[in-house]
Amino acid sequence: MTADRHALLCHPDAKPPAGVGVVASATRTADGGLQLDYRLRGDLSGLILPTAETVLPSERLWAYTCLEAFVATAGETAYVEFNFAPNGQWHRFAFSAYRQSVTPPQTPAPQIALARDAAGLGLSVRLAASALPAGPLQVGLTAVLLDRAGRHSYWALRHPPGRPDFHHRDGFALALP
């Protein structure tokens, strides 16, 4: 199945790094899992991109350059958040309702592939069905970019009104059967 690539939009209150763009896609796999593909395009020299030698605190990947997915079952309040750093680190959070954290069940680690080239950085992730809520999904594809001046920009398919808030269900803009 071919996935549509979606351009993520920088939150209007954040200053986007000059010449940088983010595209992402999400597709259900035949076994009920989820394939995520992200691409940072443009001149990335102004971003802080952790390398394989960099070890970040896994529960705070979102405080650095991080590609994310928020996944829920349509009509349910519970959801999961996945954070993926450009160095291959990842973390999974689980929530029973808006920002109400719970301990996530044990699930297989995602399969992550990174590719850096002159045009940017690509990150592909395959999540097992057991790591996801059951049923038709609502997905928020997001990114946090940290520039060398220490500023964050927040990118999403759709931003709800107000401050950046990836947990807000209005941002879970992609429906997948």
Side-chain angles (χ1 to χ4, degrees), residues 31-151:
D31 63 359
L34 191 61
Q35 177 67 41
L36 303 169
D37 291 289
Y38 298 88
R39 182 85 180 155
L40 300 180
R41 299 191 290 199
D43 180 5
L44 306 183
S45 64
L47 298 178
I48 297 176
L49 297 172
T51 65
E53 295 78 31
T54 307
V55 178
L56 301 171
S58 66
E59 290 187 357
R60 290 189 45 82
L61 296 179
W62 49 266
Y64 304 90
T65 295
C66 181
L67 305 167
E68 305 176 340
F70 289 76
V71 184
T73 300
E76 298 292 328
T77 59
Y79 61 100
V80 292
E81 172 187 353
F82 295 94
N83 296 172
F84 308 103
N87 65 355
Q89 283 183 259
W90 69 280
H91 193 80
R92 178 176 182 250
F93 297 93
F95 300 89
S96 60
Y98 178 76
R99 295 187 180 269
Q100 297 299 309
S101 182
V102 296
T103 302
Q106 289 293 106
T107 59
Q111 298 171 8
I112 300 173
L114 297 163
R116 294 181 194 220
D117 57 36
L121 180 142
L123 184 138
S124 291
V125 178
R126 182 161 181 151
L127 298 169
S130 61
L132 304 168
L137 300 179
Q138 291 179 311
V139 179
L141 297 173
T142 65
V144 176
L145 304 184
L146 177 61
D147 71 19
R148 295 199 176 277
R151 293 181 302 245

Side-chain angles (χ1 to χ4, degrees), residues 22 42 102 170:
V22 184
V102 296
D170 286 352

